[in-house]
């Protein structure tokens, strides 16, 4: 439930979308896919997609991809992890897009 809520916060406030990676995670729970949250290319303008393509060739893909379940689990294993960082990844990506 908490991971769904974290994903929905990104969907509603950062323009992200749910995506299901067909490869199952190496450990349970197995759920018929691997739910992730990201910003789809279809949500970008032509100019933004071109800029993203150039960036991928030079430095790799700057698009945030969040595994909400792993993020929640990470809160218990690393004391310096905070949920607000996830929102920051998406906000940083939007700022990167505006820099063009």
């Amino acid at each position: 439930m908490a991971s769904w809520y974290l994903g929905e916060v990104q969907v509603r406030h950062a323009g992200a979308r749910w995506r299901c990676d067909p490869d199952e995670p190496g450990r349970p729970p197995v759920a018929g896919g691997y739910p992730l949250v990201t910003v789809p290319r279809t949500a970008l303008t032509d100019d933004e997609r071109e800029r993203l393509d150039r960036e991928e060739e030079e430095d790799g893909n700057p698009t945030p991809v969040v595994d909400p379940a792993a993020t929640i689990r990470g809160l218990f294993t690393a004391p310096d992890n905070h949920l607000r960082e996830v929102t920051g990844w998406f906000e940083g990506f939007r700022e990167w897009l505006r820099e063009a």
Side-chain angles (χ1 to χ4, degrees):
M1 181 72 160
S3 60
W4 173 84
Y5 181 78
L6 176 60
E8 283 299 302
V9 167
Q10 304 318 308
V11 168
R12 293 171 193 234
H13 297 286
R17 297 289 178 263
W18 283 100
R19 171 184 119 191
C20 190
D21 187 338
D23 296 327
E24 291 288 347
R27 60 193 177 289
V30 176
Y34 199 34
L36 303 170
V37 180
T38 189
V39 176
R41 285 182 173 270
T42 56
L44 304 176
T45 66
D46 290 340
D47 290 339
E48 291 170 339
R49 280 193 294 275
E50 288 176 18
R51 183 162 184 248
L52 185 59
D53 289 341
R54 285 193 308 272
E55 183 73 18
E56 286 176 335
E57 289 175 10
E58 295 173 15
D59 297 325
N61 189 346
T63 307
V65 176
V66 175
D67 174 349
T71 301
I72 297 291
R73 286 191 304 272
L75 293 173
F76 300 102
T77 59
D80 294 335
N81 285 353
H82 303 282
L83 288 177
R84 69 180 167 266
E85 293 171 359
V86 175
T87 303
W89 299 334
F90 285 92
E91 289 172 358
F93 180 69
R94 290 290 173 203
E95 287 175 19
W96 177 84
L97 287 174
R98 286 191 294 267
E99 290 173 2

